[in-house]
Amino acid sequence: MEFQPHPDTQKVPVNCAVITISDTRSPDTDKSGQLIKELLLADNHIVGLYHIIKDESREITDQMEILAQDAHINAVIFNGGTGIAPRDTTYDTLEKLLEKTLPGFGELFRFLSYQEIGSRAMASRAVAGVYQGKIIFSLPGSSNAVRLGMEKLILPELVHLVKQLYTTPQ
């Protein structure tokens, strides 16, 4: 059975930042970052910022602080640095910064990934949450993982999650 999220009555474009975490990729070789941008644009969202930064905790933290001050950015999608290798610092850095987490994002991502790649999915530390009024997603750096996360999880819920951040309790 295919589940569909509740329909958003109004499809509004979300202004997103795409951040690739890599010590080796350039804009020409960043297939995953380019794929995120293509999928966002195809779904009528806005890519207001795109950067590639080194897998260094300080650079990730600095980028988050800069993005927090940008009133035009509503969502940030990171890719890369989510594994357990010594250079993979994205999860550790973001997990400390997030004010609220969405545990279901990582759980669902690993479940869906398991269906595609088997037990290696357990090594993914995909995470999502909220930081200073912005929804944050962090995906592995592989293009297959990016496509899976974007198509099955992020794009179907992006507008809804952003709207929740800006809804005033009554």
Side-chain angles (χ1 to χ4, degrees):
M1 175 189 302
E2 181 74 20
F3 291 99
Q4 294 295 321
H6 51 80
D8 286 308
T9 55
Q10 185 180 7
K11 183 71 173 178
V12 295
V14 174
N15 196 337
C16 301
V18 177
I19 309 295
T20 295
I21 307 293
S22 176
D23 294 334
T24 59
R25 292 185 186 168
S26 69
D28 293 335
T29 62
D30 181 20
K31 292 178 183 174
S32 294
Q34 297 302 330
L35 179 58
I36 293 170
K37 292 181 353 182
E38 288 170 18
L39 292 170
L40 286 168
L41 293 171
D43 205 38
N44 296 314
H45 296 295
I46 300 161
V47 178
L49 183 86
Y50 165 72
H51 283 306
I52 299 173
I53 61 175
K54 299 282 185 210
D55 200 341
E56 296 285 345
S57 183
R58 184 77 246 157
E59 288 194 38
I60 296 166
T61 300
D62 289 348
Q63 186 67 67
M64 287 284 285
E65 290 173 2
I66 291 166
L67 291 168
Q69 301 308 312
D70 189 334
H72 301 291
I73 299 293
N74 305 111
V76 183
I77 304 170
F78 287 89
N79 75 95
T82 61
I84 60 169
R87 290 288 302 148
D88 291 334
T89 63
T90 306
Y91 172 85
D92 304 295
T93 303
L94 292 178
E95 191 266 336
K96 291 175 189 166
L97 292 173
L98 294 175
E99 297 153 356
K100 293 182 180 183
T101 60
L102 296 173
F105 175 78
E107 294 162 1
L108 286 168
F109 179 81
R110 284 181 286 281
F111 170 74
L112 294 168
S113 186
Y114 176 78
Q115 294 176 329
E116 289 190 1
I117 65 170
S119 60
R120 287 203 176 170
M122 77 172 80
S124 169
R125 297 189 299 158
V127 65
V130 177
Y131 179 72
Q132 296 192 18
K134 317 240 185 254
I135 189 78
I136 310 296
F137 298 98
S138 180
L139 294 166
S142 85
S143 294
N144 287 341
V146 162
R147 182 174 300 282
L148 176 75
M150 290 296 294
E151 290 179 348
K152 297 288 187 181
L153 300 172
I154 295 173
L155 291 173
E157 294 300 325
L158 184 59
V159 172
H160 175 71
L161 292 170
V162 169
K163 282 182 180 179
Q164 283 193 321
L165 288 176
Y166 295 100
T167 301
T168 306
Q170 306 218 356

PDB file of all heavy atoms in Angstrom, residues 110-148:
ATOM      1  N   ARG A 110      16.745   5.339   7.192  1.00  0.00           N
ATOM      2  CA  ARG A 110      17.467   4.071   7.314  1.00  0.00           C
ATOM      3  C   ARG A 110      16.584   2.888   6.909  1.00  0.00           C
ATOM      4  O   ARG A 110      17.053   1.946   6.280  1.00  0.00           O
ATOM      5  CB  ARG A 110      18.024   3.910   8.723  1.00  0.00           C
ATOM      6  CG  ARG A 110      19.268   4.778   8.944  1.00  0.00           C
ATOM      7  CD  ARG A 110      19.856   4.626  10.327  1.00  0.00           C
ATOM      8  NE  ARG A 110      19.056   5.297  11.338  1.00  0.00           N
ATOM      9  CZ  ARG A 110      19.091   6.610  11.569  1.00  0.00           C
ATOM     10  NH1 ARG A 110      19.892   7.389  10.872  1.00  0.00           N
ATOM     11  NH2 ARG A 110      18.335   7.142  12.511  1.00  0.00           N
ATOM     12  N   PHE A 111      15.301   2.944   7.245  1.00  0.00           N
ATOM     13  CA  PHE A 111      14.370   1.886   6.847  1.00  0.00           C
ATOM     14  C   PHE A 111      14.286   1.789   5.324  1.00  0.00           C
ATOM     15  O   PHE A 111      14.407   0.714   4.736  1.00  0.00           O
ATOM     16  CB  PHE A 111      12.983   2.136   7.454  1.00  0.00           C
ATOM     17  CG  PHE A 111      11.914   1.236   6.919  1.00  0.00           C
ATOM     18  CD1 PHE A 111      11.848  -0.094   7.305  1.00  0.00           C
ATOM     19  CD2 PHE A 111      10.975   1.712   6.024  1.00  0.00           C
ATOM     20  CE1 PHE A 111      10.859  -0.930   6.795  1.00  0.00           C
ATOM     21  CE2 PHE A 111       9.988   0.883   5.512  1.00  0.00           C
ATOM     22  CZ  PHE A 111       9.930  -0.449   5.901  1.00  0.00           C
ATOM     23  N   LEU A 112      14.068   2.933   4.682  1.00  0.00           N
ATOM     24  CA  LEU A 112      13.975   2.946   3.221  1.00  0.00           C
ATOM     25  C   LEU A 112      15.304   2.541   2.581  1.00  0.00           C
ATOM     26  O   LEU A 112      15.334   1.802   1.597  1.00  0.00           O
ATOM     27  CB  LEU A 112      13.548   4.327   2.730  1.00  0.00           C
ATOM     28  CG  LEU A 112      12.133   4.758   3.118  1.00  0.00           C
ATOM     29  CD1 LEU A 112      11.935   6.248   2.824  1.00  0.00           C
ATOM     30  CD2 LEU A 112      11.092   3.919   2.395  1.00  0.00           C
ATOM     31  N   SER A 113      16.383   3.014   3.151  1.00  0.00           N
ATOM     32  CA  SER A 113      17.708   2.676   2.650  1.00  0.00           C
ATOM     33  C   SER A 113      17.986   1.182   2.803  1.00  0.00           C
ATOM     34  O   SER A 113      18.549   0.544   1.910  1.00  0.00           O
ATOM     35  CB  SER A 113      18.756   3.507   3.391  1.00  0.00           C
ATOM     36  OG  SER A 113      20.032   3.306   2.847  1.00  0.00           O
ATOM     37  N   TYR A 114      17.569   0.613   3.908  1.00  0.00           N
ATOM     38  CA  TYR A 114      17.735  -0.822   4.135  1.00  0.00           C
ATOM     39  C   TYR A 114      17.061  -1.626   3.021  1.00  0.00           C
ATOM     40  O   TYR A 114      17.594  -2.643   2.562  1.00  0.00           O
ATOM     41  CB  TYR A 114      17.159  -1.216   5.496  1.00  0.00           C
ATOM     42  CG  TYR A 114      17.211  -2.695   5.775  1.00  0.00           C
ATOM     43  CD1 TYR A 114      18.397  -3.308   6.166  1.00  0.00           C
ATOM     44  CD2 TYR A 114      16.084  -3.487   5.605  1.00  0.00           C
ATOM     45  CE1 TYR A 114      18.462  -4.669   6.399  1.00  0.00           C
ATOM     46  CE2 TYR A 114      16.129  -4.856   5.821  1.00  0.00           C
ATOM     47  CZ  TYR A 114      17.315  -5.442   6.226  1.00  0.00           C
ATOM     48  OH  TYR A 114      17.372  -6.791   6.441  1.00  0.00           O
ATOM     49  N   GLN A 115      15.910  -1.156   2.583  1.00  0.00           N
ATOM     50  CA  GLN A 115      15.193  -1.849   1.512  1.00  0.00           C
ATOM     51  C   GLN A 115      15.974  -1.823   0.202  1.00  0.00           C
ATOM     52  O   GLN A 115      15.793  -2.688  -0.645  1.00  0.00           O
ATOM     53  CB  GLN A 115      13.804  -1.239   1.322  1.00  0.00           C
ATOM     54  CG  GLN A 115      12.909  -1.466   2.514  1.00  0.00           C
ATOM     55  CD  GLN A 115      11.571  -0.779   2.382  1.00  0.00           C
ATOM     56  OE1 GLN A 115      11.447   0.272   1.759  1.00  0.00           O
ATOM     57  NE2 GLN A 115      10.548  -1.370   2.970  1.00  0.00           N
ATOM     58  N   GLU A 116      16.853  -0.830   0.048  1.00  0.00           N
ATOM     59  CA  GLU A 116      17.645  -0.713  -1.180  1.00  0.00           C
ATOM     60  C   GLU A 116      19.030  -1.333  -1.059  1.00  0.00           C
ATOM     61  O   GLU A 116      19.499  -1.976  -1.989  1.00  0.00           O
ATOM     62  CB  GLU A 116      17.780   0.755  -1.590  1.00  0.00           C
ATOM     63  CG  GLU A 116      16.501   1.354  -2.106  1.00  0.00           C
ATOM     64  CD  GLU A 116      16.700   2.726  -2.723  1.00  0.00           C
ATOM     65  OE1 GLU A 116      17.849   3.226  -2.768  1.00  0.00           O
ATOM     66  OE2 GLU A 116      15.697   3.291  -3.180  1.00  0.00           O
ATOM     67  N   ILE A 117      19.700  -1.124   0.090  1.00  0.00           N
ATOM     68  CA  ILE A 117      21.106  -1.550   0.184  1.00  0.00           C
ATOM     69  C   ILE A 117      21.368  -2.566   1.284  1.00  0.00           C
ATOM     70  O   ILE A 117      22.497  -2.992   1.482  1.00  0.00           O
ATOM     71  CB  ILE A 117      22.050  -0.347   0.364  1.00  0.00           C
ATOM     72  CG1 ILE A 117      21.815   0.365   1.694  1.00  0.00           C
ATOM     73  CG2 ILE A 117      21.933   0.613  -0.817  1.00  0.00           C
ATOM     74  CD1 ILE A 117      22.868   1.398   2.049  1.00  0.00           C
ATOM     75  N   GLY A 118      20.344  -2.939   2.021  1.00  0.00           N
ATOM     76  CA  GLY A 118      20.529  -3.945   3.059  1.00  0.00           C
ATOM     77  C   GLY A 118      21.145  -3.377   4.332  1.00  0.00           C
ATOM     78  O   GLY A 118      20.994  -2.193   4.655  1.00  0.00           O
ATOM     79  N   SER A 119      21.862  -4.227   5.034  1.00  0.00           N
ATOM     80  CA  SER A 119      22.333  -3.890   6.378  1.00  0.00           C
ATOM     81  C   SER A 119      23.314  -2.723   6.434  1.00  0.00           C
ATOM     82  O   SER A 119      23.501  -2.128   7.498  1.00  0.00           O
ATOM     83  CB  SER A 119      22.956  -5.121   7.038  1.00  0.00           C
ATOM     84  OG  SER A 119      24.049  -5.589   6.268  1.00  0.00           O
ATOM     85  N   ARG A 120      23.916  -2.347   5.337  1.00  0.00           N
ATOM     86  CA  ARG A 120      24.819  -1.182   5.361  1.00  0.00           C
ATOM     87  C   ARG A 120      24.089   0.112   5.709  1.00  0.00           C
ATOM     88  O   ARG A 120      24.708   1.097   6.079  1.00  0.00           O
ATOM     89  CB  ARG A 120      25.541  -1.027   4.041  1.00  0.00           C
ATOM     90  CG  ARG A 120      26.594  -2.079   3.863  1.00  0.00           C
ATOM     91  CD  ARG A 120      27.642  -1.679   2.909  1.00  0.00           C
ATOM     92  NE  ARG A 120      28.652  -2.745   2.901  1.00  0.00           N
ATOM     93  CZ  ARG A 120      29.615  -2.807   2.041  1.00  0.00           C
ATOM     94  NH1 ARG A 120      29.730  -1.881   1.116  1.00  0.00           N
ATOM     95  NH2 ARG A 120      30.482  -3.784   2.098  1.00  0.00           N
ATOM     96  N   ALA A 121      22.782   0.098   5.616  1.00  0.00           N
ATOM     97  CA  ALA A 121      21.987   1.283   5.962  1.00  0.00           C
ATOM     98  C   ALA A 121      22.193   1.693   7.412  1.00  0.00           C
ATOM     99  O   ALA A 121      22.028   2.858   7.757  1.00  0.00           O
ATOM    100  CB  ALA A 121      20.509   1.019   5.699  1.00  0.00           C
ATOM    101  N   MET A 122      22.568   0.741   8.273  1.00  0.00           N
ATOM    102  CA  MET A 122      22.749   1.078   9.688  1.00  0.00           C
ATOM    103  C   MET A 122      23.870   2.091   9.919  1.00  0.00           C
ATOM    104  O   MET A 122      23.906   2.757  10.944  1.00  0.00           O
ATOM    105  CB  MET A 122      22.999  -0.177  10.528  1.00  0.00           C
ATOM    106  CG  MET A 122      24.397  -0.731  10.421  1.00  0.00           C
ATOM    107  SD  MET A 122      24.744  -2.048  11.585  1.00  0.00           S
ATOM    108  CE  MET A 122      23.986  -3.426  10.802  1.00  0.00           C
ATOM    109  N   ALA A 123      24.783   2.234   8.975  1.00  0.00           N
ATOM    110  CA  ALA A 123      25.900   3.164   9.136  1.00  0.00           C
ATOM    111  C   ALA A 123      25.526   4.611   8.819  1.00  0.00           C
ATOM    112  O   ALA A 123      26.307   5.523   9.080  1.00  0.00           O
ATOM    113  CB  ALA A 123      27.073   2.730   8.260  1.00  0.00           C
ATOM    114  N   SER A 124      24.329   4.826   8.285  1.00  0.00           N
ATOM    115  CA  SER A 124      23.905   6.187   7.954  1.00  0.00           C
ATOM    116  C   SER A 124      23.450   6.926   9.205  1.00  0.00           C
ATOM    117  O   SER A 124      22.664   6.420   9.995  1.00  0.00           O
ATOM    118  CB  SER A 124      22.746   6.150   6.958  1.00  0.00           C
ATOM    119  OG  SER A 124      22.190   7.447   6.853  1.00  0.00           O
ATOM    120  N   ARG A 125      23.938   8.128   9.352  1.00  0.00           N
ATOM    121  CA  ARG A 125      23.499   8.969  10.463  1.00  0.00           C
ATOM    122  C   ARG A 125      22.743  10.182   9.920  1.00  0.00           C
ATOM    123  O   ARG A 125      22.966  11.313  10.331  1.00  0.00           O
ATOM    124  CB  ARG A 125      24.695   9.374  11.312  1.00  0.00           C
ATOM    125  CG  ARG A 125      25.370   8.145  11.942  1.00  0.00           C
ATOM    126  CD  ARG A 125      26.429   8.495  12.950  1.00  0.00           C
ATOM    127  NE  ARG A 125      27.515   9.270  12.343  1.00  0.00           N
ATOM    128  CZ  ARG A 125      28.337  10.052  13.051  1.00  0.00           C
ATOM    129  NH1 ARG A 125      28.209  10.166  14.352  1.00  0.00           N
ATOM    130  NH2 ARG A 125      29.300  10.709  12.441  1.00  0.00           N
ATOM    131  N   ALA A 126      21.816   9.908   8.998  1.00  0.00           N
ATOM    132  CA  ALA A 126      20.949  10.973   8.488  1.00  0.00           C
ATOM    133  C   ALA A 126      20.164  11.547   9.656  1.00  0.00           C
ATOM    134  O   ALA A 126      19.727  10.816  10.543  1.00  0.00           O
ATOM    135  CB  ALA A 126      20.006  10.427   7.426  1.00  0.00           C
ATOM    136  N   VAL A 127      19.995  12.858   9.661  1.00  0.00           N
ATOM    137  CA  VAL A 127      19.335  13.527  10.785  1.00  0.00           C
ATOM    138  C   VAL A 127      18.570  14.742  10.272  1.00  0.00           C
ATOM    139  O   VAL A 127      18.912  15.304   9.225  1.00  0.00           O
ATOM    140  CB  VAL A 127      20.382  13.934  11.863  1.00  0.00           C
ATOM    141  CG1 VAL A 127      21.344  14.983  11.337  1.00  0.00           C
ATOM    142  CG2 VAL A 127      19.726  14.373  13.154  1.00  0.00           C
ATOM    143  N   ALA A 128      17.544  15.128  11.004  1.00  0.00           N
ATOM    144  CA  ALA A 128      16.792  16.347  10.670  1.00  0.00           C
ATOM    145  C   ALA A 128      16.307  16.987  11.958  1.00  0.00           C
ATOM    146  O   ALA A 128      16.183  16.326  12.989  1.00  0.00           O
ATOM    147  CB  ALA A 128      15.613  16.026   9.761  1.00  0.00           C
ATOM    148  N   GLY A 129      16.043  18.271  11.869  1.00  0.00           N
ATOM    149  CA  GLY A 129      15.535  18.987  13.028  1.00  0.00           C
ATOM    150  C   GLY A 129      15.387  20.464  12.727  1.00  0.00           C
ATOM    151  O   GLY A 129      15.330  20.887  11.569  1.00  0.00           O
ATOM    152  N   VAL A 130      15.351  21.230  13.800  1.00  0.00           N
ATOM    153  CA  VAL A 130      15.131  22.674  13.696  1.00  0.00           C
ATOM    154  C   VAL A 130      16.298  23.402  14.347  1.00  0.00           C
ATOM    155  O   VAL A 130      16.757  23.028  15.433  1.00  0.00           O
ATOM    156  CB  VAL A 130      13.805  23.068  14.403  1.00  0.00           C
ATOM    157  CG1 VAL A 130      13.601  24.573  14.367  1.00  0.00           C
ATOM    158  CG2 VAL A 130      12.629  22.347  13.767  1.00  0.00           C
ATOM    159  N   TYR A 131      16.749  24.431  13.670  1.00  0.00           N
ATOM    160  CA  TYR A 131      17.795  25.307  14.200  1.00  0.00           C
ATOM    161  C   TYR A 131      17.397  26.746  13.905  1.00  0.00           C
ATOM    162  O   TYR A 131      17.261  27.138  12.739  1.00  0.00           O
ATOM    163  CB  TYR A 131      19.147  24.993  13.565  1.00  0.00           C
ATOM    164  CG  TYR A 131      20.264  25.893  14.049  1.00  0.00           C
ATOM    165  CD1 TYR A 131      20.776  25.764  15.338  1.00  0.00           C
ATOM    166  CD2 TYR A 131      20.804  26.855  13.217  1.00  0.00           C
ATOM    167  CE1 TYR A 131      21.804  26.585  15.777  1.00  0.00           C
ATOM    168  CE2 TYR A 131      21.834  27.685  13.652  1.00  0.00           C
ATOM    169  CZ  TYR A 131      22.323  27.539  14.933  1.00  0.00           C
ATOM    170  OH  TYR A 131      23.341  28.359  15.385  1.00  0.00           O
ATOM    171  N   GLN A 132      17.172  27.520  14.937  1.00  0.00           N
ATOM    172  CA  GLN A 132      16.851  28.942  14.849  1.00  0.00           C
ATOM    173  C   GLN A 132      15.805  29.239  13.755  1.00  0.00           C
ATOM    174  O   GLN A 132      15.998  30.102  12.898  1.00  0.00           O
ATOM    175  CB  GLN A 132      18.120  29.761  14.667  1.00  0.00           C
ATOM    176  CG  GLN A 132      19.032  29.635  15.884  1.00  0.00           C
ATOM    177  CD  GLN A 132      20.164  30.634  15.888  1.00  0.00           C
ATOM    178  OE1 GLN A 132      20.124  31.643  15.189  1.00  0.00           O
ATOM    179  NE2 GLN A 132      21.174  30.361  16.702  1.00  0.00           N
ATOM    180  N   GLY A 133      14.702  28.499  13.816  1.00  0.00           N
ATOM    181  CA  GLY A 133      13.583  28.751  12.918  1.00  0.00           C
ATOM    182  C   GLY A 133      13.723  28.196  11.520  1.00  0.00           C
ATOM    183  O   GLY A 133      12.921  28.523  10.644  1.00  0.00           O
ATOM    184  N   LYS A 134      14.712  27.351  11.296  1.00  0.00           N
ATOM    185  CA  LYS A 134      14.918  26.749   9.975  1.00  0.00           C
ATOM    186  C   LYS A 134      14.844  25.227  10.114  1.00  0.00           C
ATOM    187  O   LYS A 134      15.323  24.658  11.084  1.00  0.00           O
ATOM    188  CB  LYS A 134      16.282  27.110   9.408  1.00  0.00           C
ATOM    189  CG  LYS A 134      16.655  28.568   9.597  1.00  0.00           C
ATOM    190  CD  LYS A 134      16.901  29.267   8.321  1.00  0.00           C
ATOM    191  CE  LYS A 134      17.381  30.690   8.567  1.00  0.00           C
ATOM    192  NZ  LYS A 134      16.398  31.675   8.308  1.00  0.00           N
ATOM    193  N   ILE A 135      14.245  24.588   9.128  1.00  0.00           N
ATOM    194  CA  ILE A 135      14.231  23.133   9.101  1.00  0.00           C
ATOM    195  C   ILE A 135      15.546  22.675   8.467  1.00  0.00           C
ATOM    196  O   ILE A 135      15.969  23.219   7.447  1.00  0.00           O
ATOM    197  CB  ILE A 135      12.994  22.570   8.359  1.00  0.00           C
ATOM    198  CG1 ILE A 135      12.887  21.066   8.535  1.00  0.00           C
ATOM    199  CG2 ILE A 135      12.972  22.936   6.907  1.00  0.00           C
ATOM    200  CD1 ILE A 135      12.344  20.635   9.842  1.00  0.00           C
ATOM    201  N   ILE A 136      16.192  21.720   9.110  1.00  0.00           N
ATOM    202  CA  ILE A 136      17.506  21.234   8.685  1.00  0.00           C
ATOM    203  C   ILE A 136      17.400  19.748   8.358  1.00  0.00           C
ATOM    204  O   ILE A 136      16.850  18.980   9.151  1.00  0.00           O
ATOM    205  CB  ILE A 136      18.559  21.419   9.809  1.00  0.00           C
ATOM    206  CG1 ILE A 136      18.556  22.844  10.368  1.00  0.00           C
ATOM    207  CG2 ILE A 136      19.940  20.969   9.334  1.00  0.00           C
ATOM    208  CD1 ILE A 136      18.952  23.927   9.412  1.00  0.00           C
ATOM    209  N   PHE A 137      17.930  19.356   7.211  1.00  0.00           N
ATOM    210  CA  PHE A 137      18.017  17.950   6.829  1.00  0.00           C
ATOM    211  C   PHE A 137      19.471  17.639   6.518  1.00  0.00           C
ATOM    212  O   PHE A 137      20.158  18.449   5.897  1.00  0.00           O
ATOM    213  CB  PHE A 137      17.203  17.652   5.564  1.00  0.00           C
ATOM    214  CG  PHE A 137      15.736  17.913   5.699  1.00  0.00           C
ATOM    215  CD1 PHE A 137      15.187  19.099   5.233  1.00  0.00           C
ATOM    216  CD2 PHE A 137      14.893  16.975   6.277  1.00  0.00           C
ATOM    217  CE1 PHE A 137      13.825  19.349   5.338  1.00  0.00           C
ATOM    218  CE2 PHE A 137      13.535  17.206   6.387  1.00  0.00           C
ATOM    219  CZ  PHE A 137      13.003  18.399   5.924  1.00  0.00           C
ATOM    220  N   SER A 138      19.916  16.462   6.913  1.00  0.00           N
ATOM    221  CA  SER A 138      21.272  16.038   6.590  1.00  0.00           C
ATOM    222  C   SER A 138      21.227  14.624   6.032  1.00  0.00           C
ATOM    223  O   SER A 138      20.798  13.691   6.711  1.00  0.00           O
ATOM    224  CB  SER A 138      22.144  16.095   7.843  1.00  0.00           C
ATOM    225  OG  SER A 138      23.466  15.697   7.555  1.00  0.00           O
ATOM    226  N   LEU A 139      21.659  14.492   4.793  1.00  0.00           N
ATOM    227  CA  LEU A 139      21.650  13.226   4.064  1.00  0.00           C
ATOM    228  C   LEU A 139      23.072  12.741   3.804  1.00  0.00           C
ATOM    229  O   LEU A 139      24.001  13.545   3.751  1.00  0.00           O
ATOM    230  CB  LEU A 139      20.966  13.420   2.705  1.00  0.00           C
ATOM    231  CG  LEU A 139      19.487  13.762   2.712  1.00  0.00           C
ATOM    232  CD1 LEU A 139      19.054  14.257   1.331  1.00  0.00           C
ATOM    233  CD2 LEU A 139      18.682  12.543   3.125  1.00  0.00           C
ATOM    234  N   PRO A 140      23.232  11.438   3.587  1.00  0.00           N
ATOM    235  CA  PRO A 140      24.533  10.951   3.121  1.00  0.00           C
ATOM    236  C   PRO A 140      24.898  11.599   1.789  1.00  0.00           C
ATOM    237  O   PRO A 140      24.041  12.179   1.113  1.00  0.00           O
ATOM    238  CB  PRO A 140      24.310   9.445   2.954  1.00  0.00           C
ATOM    239  CG  PRO A 140      23.159   9.132   3.849  1.00  0.00           C
ATOM    240  CD  PRO A 140      22.280  10.355   3.800  1.00  0.00           C
ATOM    241  N   GLY A 141      26.142  11.455   1.388  1.00  0.00           N
ATOM    242  CA  GLY A 141      26.619  12.111   0.177  1.00  0.00           C
ATOM    243  C   GLY A 141      26.399  11.355  -1.116  1.00  0.00           C
ATOM    244  O   GLY A 141      26.610  11.918  -2.187  1.00  0.00           O
ATOM    245  N   SER A 142      25.968  10.110  -1.062  1.00  0.00           N
ATOM    246  CA  SER A 142      25.783   9.369  -2.308  1.00  0.00           C
ATOM    247  C   SER A 142      24.534   9.869  -3.039  1.00  0.00           C
ATOM    248  O   SER A 142      23.526  10.210  -2.415  1.00  0.00           O
ATOM    249  CB  SER A 142      25.679   7.865  -2.057  1.00  0.00           C
ATOM    250  OG  SER A 142      24.358   7.488  -1.737  1.00  0.00           O
ATOM    251  N   SER A 143      24.604   9.876  -4.350  1.00  0.00           N
ATOM    252  CA  SER A 143      23.466  10.354  -5.147  1.00  0.00           C
ATOM    253  C   SER A 143      22.237   9.481  -4.944  1.00  0.00           C
ATOM    254  O   SER A 143      21.109   9.987  -4.938  1.00  0.00           O
ATOM    255  CB  SER A 143      23.840  10.417  -6.626  1.00  0.00           C
ATOM    256  OG  SER A 143      24.832  11.397  -6.832  1.00  0.00           O
ATOM    257  N   ASN A 144      22.420   8.170  -4.795  1.00  0.00           N
ATOM    258  CA  ASN A 144      21.275   7.289  -4.554  1.00  0.00           C
ATOM    259  C   ASN A 144      20.600   7.626  -3.230  1.00  0.00           C
ATOM    260  O   ASN A 144      19.372   7.656  -3.135  1.00  0.00           O
ATOM    261  CB  ASN A 144      21.694   5.821  -4.576  1.00  0.00           C
ATOM    262  CG  ASN A 144      22.010   5.331  -5.968  1.00  0.00           C
ATOM    263  OD1 ASN A 144      21.617   5.926  -6.966  1.00  0.00           O
ATOM    264  ND2 ASN A 144      22.747   4.242  -6.051  1.00  0.00           N
ATOM    265  N   ALA A 145      21.396   7.889  -2.198  1.00  0.00           N
ATOM    266  CA  ALA A 145      20.838   8.254  -0.894  1.00  0.00           C
ATOM    267  C   ALA A 145      20.122   9.600  -0.973  1.00  0.00           C
ATOM    268  O   ALA A 145      19.051   9.780  -0.394  1.00  0.00           O
ATOM    269  CB  ALA A 145      21.938   8.289   0.161  1.00  0.00           C
ATOM    270  N   VAL A 146      20.704  10.532  -1.694  1.00  0.00           N
ATOM    271  CA  VAL A 146      20.091  11.853  -1.864  1.00  0.00           C
ATOM    272  C   VAL A 146      18.747  11.722  -2.565  1.00  0.00           C
ATOM    273  O   VAL A 146      17.739  12.281  -2.129  1.00  0.00           O
ATOM    274  CB  VAL A 146      21.043  12.803  -2.626  1.00  0.00           C
ATOM    275  CG1 VAL A 146      20.296  13.995  -3.206  1.00  0.00           C
ATOM    276  CG2 VAL A 146      22.164  13.271  -1.715  1.00  0.00           C
ATOM    277  N   ARG A 147      18.714  10.967  -3.651  1.00  0.00           N
ATOM    278  CA  ARG A 147      17.451  10.797  -4.386  1.00  0.00           C
ATOM    279  C   ARG A 147      16.391  10.172  -3.483  1.00  0.00           C
ATOM    280  O   ARG A 147      15.255  10.629  -3.421  1.00  0.00           O
ATOM    281  CB  ARG A 147      17.652   9.957  -5.643  1.00  0.00           C
ATOM    282  CG  ARG A 147      16.368   9.813  -6.453  1.00  0.00           C
ATOM    283  CD  ARG A 147      16.577   9.112  -7.776  1.00  0.00           C
ATOM    284  NE  ARG A 147      17.509   9.792  -8.659  1.00  0.00           N
ATOM    285  CZ  ARG A 147      17.222  10.872  -9.392  1.00  0.00           C
ATOM    286  NH1 ARG A 147      16.012  11.406  -9.319  1.00  0.00           N
ATOM    287  NH2 ARG A 147      18.128  11.419 -10.160  1.00  0.00           N
ATOM    288  N   LEU A 148      16.764   9.134  -2.752  1.00  0.00           N
ATOM    289  CA  LEU A 148      15.839   8.461  -1.852  1.00  0.00           C
ATOM    290  C   LEU A 148      15.294   9.431  -0.800  1.00  0.00           C
ATOM    291  O   LEU A 148      14.087   9.552  -0.618  1.00  0.00           O
ATOM    292  CB  LEU A 148      16.548   7.284  -1.159  1.00  0.00           C
ATOM    293  CG  LEU A 148      15.728   6.551  -0.109  1.00  0.00           C
ATOM    294  CD1 LEU A 148      14.675   5.676  -0.774  1.00  0.00           C
ATOM    295  CD2 LEU A 148      16.650   5.704   0.759  1.00  0.00           C
TER     296      LEU A 148
END
